[in-house]
Amino acid sequence: MQITPTDMRDAYLVGAGQSDYGAFPEESYRSLFRTAFEAATDSVPNGLEPSDIDEAFVGNLGVGGRQLGLSGPAVTEHVGLGGVPCTRVENACAASGFATRQAVQAVKSGMADVVLAGGFEIMSDMSSDATKYWLGVSGETEWERLSGTTFSGVYAQMASVHMETYGTTREQLSRVAVKNHSNGAKNPHAQLGFECSLEDAQSAPVVADPLNLYHCCPTSDGAACALIVSEDVVDEYTDDPIRVAGVGAGSDNVGLFQRDSYTGVPASQRAAETAYEMAGVEPDDLDFAEVHDCFAIAELLAYEDLGFCEKGEAGQLIESGETEIGGSLPVNTSGGLKSKGHPIGATGAGQVVEAFKQLSGKAGERQVENPTRGLTHNVGGSGGASVIHIFENETEVST
């Protein structure tokens, strides 16, 4: 018998927190995770003790090879969760997005009432060549990485085809950077927390034509955590519940060259369809979104893959200003990967942190006005995996 969502318990997001993102030579992966974990537990309105946690899922790629085996228990034990079952999730850049999905599944299935989902990465302690190698392991190894293709090169191919097919321009790519830096400048956790002009974003050095430096996210150290609980215990932790309304995931060929199209991410399209159906909503029902903008073209592809606009119209959407704070659908209010940073294993959980802050009204200068629903979108590699969550403030929905 196939279990449908109506047969399962509801899951709720009651807390979330992160470390700063950046380069922190004085920190370890354990200390960064502790910072995120303590921020998450401190954010729970009615309090949550580590002893309440039944299970944990931790996302990590393992850049540089540090503690590849049992890296999940290595960090959960460090924060006082010794003995709590912990599973490390590795799905490239979507690792902690999928860790969050696993936490939701554990709660919905009845296996646990309180689950920690988190992620971490240290990326700043290697040479640029070594970093490129570790980033490359998330692409197709034999025909992409070992032939010399980098991730910027892969996304440059996607950008080139989108530009040729739909008339997308370099200026439109640069507007993604300008918007996200404007948002990141309001985020105290952001690695590149400064504004940039359109001229800055257009005149930066080329990395992989047509992408330049301002079209690419940085490499980052950081950690993030989220706390998911069941409907049976949610009232113990908050009087303002944030429900996990929809979850969707998809996978695809790891290599870009193996796919039928370079102008979309089918895994994201499938994940979005599933998440919208489960939540019973459409893109127009969203009040904000955090999307995976590892490169500027990735955000534009997300607009189309997630139904924010029609195919080929992403360039016009970024130009319209509707995805800015104050627009009809603010995207990447945190600053996104571009400005906030991209510690691979932490990125998906970090998006959930922003969703929690927005729906709790605690996003500070970047707060969206009275949001009810938000979406997070986390992609692995160039689209080999994708996971989407839709969160809704249950109090706002019922009013």
Side-chain angles (χ1 to χ4, degrees):
M1 181 184 71
Q2 184 176 4
I3 299 176
T4 63
T6 56
D7 299 317
M8 302 180 186
R9 302 188 300 177
D10 271 333
Y12 292 85
L13 173 66
V14 296
Q18 66 169 91
S19 71
D20 292 343
Y21 287 178
F24 307 112
E26 73 284 1
E27 299 279 2
S28 71
Y29 67 96
R30 286 185 170 102
S31 67
L32 288 170
F33 192 83
R34 176 180 288 280
T35 297
F37 177 75
E38 291 178 350
T41 54
D42 288 346
S43 73
V44 178
N46 298 342
L48 185 148
E49 297 297 325
S51 58
D52 296 345
I53 296 172
D54 300 316
E55 191 156 354
F57 297 91
V58 177
N60 174 244
L61 178 64
V63 171
R66 62 175 68 234
Q67 194 58 50
L68 280 175
L70 297 177
S71 58
V75 292
T76 54
E77 182 276 334
H78 182 68
V79 299
L81 300 182
V84 172
C86 180
T87 303
R88 174 198 175 215
V89 179
E90 190 283 294
N91 232 0
C93 316
S96 59
F98 273 87
T100 303
R101 179 174 181 261
Q102 292 295 102
V104 172
Q105 288 180 325
V107 165
K108 281 184 165 291
S109 70
M111 290 289 290
D113 278 318
V114 182
V115 183
L116 170 68
F120 66 90
E121 208 74 62
I122 295 284
M123 303 179 69
S124 68
D125 61 346
M126 296 178 294
S127 69
S128 60
D129 286 343
T131 301
K132 288 177 184 177
Y133 172 85
W134 277 100
L135 289 172
V137 302
S138 299
E140 201 283 329
T141 300
E142 186 174 7
W143 297 105
E144 285 185 347
R145 181 172 65 81
L146 293 183
S147 66
T149 302
T150 63
F151 264 121
S152 55
V154 169
Y155 275 93
Q157 293 176 62
M158 300 167 85
S160 295
V161 177
H162 201 277
M163 293 167 77
E164 181 178 345
T165 305
Y166 300 112
T168 307
T169 66
R170 285 178 170 83
E171 179 179 322
Q172 291 167 341
L173 292 173
S174 296
R175 287 185 180 276
V176 173
V178 172
K179 172 181 67 69
N180 291 351
H181 272 279
S182 177
N183 295 344
K186 302 177 181 69
N187 186 347
H189 296 300
Q191 179 175 1
L192 304 180
F194 54 84
E195 295 188 3
C196 74
S197 68
L198 185 59
E199 181 182 356
D200 291 335
Q202 288 184 286
S203 61
V206 172
V207 174
D209 191 52
L211 302 179
N212 68 34
L213 187 63
Y214 269 89
H215 301 151
C216 308
C217 73
T219 55
S220 316
D221 303 338
C225 290
L227 293 157
I228 308 295
V229 308
S230 74
E231 63 182 37
D232 296 336
V233 301
V234 65
D235 291 343
E236 298 176 23
Y237 298 106
T238 183
D239 301 318
D240 194 17
I242 297 171
R243 189 169 73 95
V244 185
V247 183
S251 296
D252 201 355
N253 293 313
V254 175
L256 179 63
F257 73 94
Q258 297 171 301
R259 300 182 206 149
D260 294 333
S261 172
Y262 281 23
T263 61
V265 178
S268 291
Q269 296 162 13
R270 289 191 287 270
E273 182 179 354
T274 301
Y276 289 140
E277 181 178 357
M278 182 176 177
V281 301
E282 298 180 352
D284 287 346
D285 297 314
L286 301 173
D287 297 304
F288 66 90
E290 288 286 300
V291 307
H292 198 92
D293 62 320
C294 48
F295 299 91
I297 185 61
E299 177 163 329
L300 297 185
L301 295 180
Y303 291 176
E304 298 172 6
D305 290 335
L306 307 184
F308 300 166
C309 65
E310 295 298 321
K311 191 72 175 174
E313 295 181 359
Q316 295 96 297
L317 182 58
I318 186 66
E319 281 190 331
S320 73
E322 293 303 318
T323 58
E324 298 174 9
I325 295 174
S328 61
L329 181 59
V331 175
N332 286 335
T333 57
S334 69
L337 284 62
K338 175 63 194 78
S339 175
K340 183 183 178 182
H342 184 27
I344 291 177
T347 289
Q351 294 176 324
V352 177
V353 173
E354 182 69 8
F356 177 76
K357 289 183 177 180
Q358 288 289 350
L359 291 170
S360 300
K362 297 179 179 178
E365 293 181 73
R366 61 188 190 281
Q367 180 66 52
V368 173
E369 186 176 358
N370 300 322
T372 299
R373 291 186 189 86
L375 174 150
T376 63
H377 160 254
N378 191 199
V379 175
S382 61
S386 182
V387 60
I388 289 172
H389 293 85
I390 297 173
F391 301 95
E392 64 181 25
N393 187 311
E394 200 164 66
T395 303
E396 293 295 327
V397 170
S398 61
T399 57

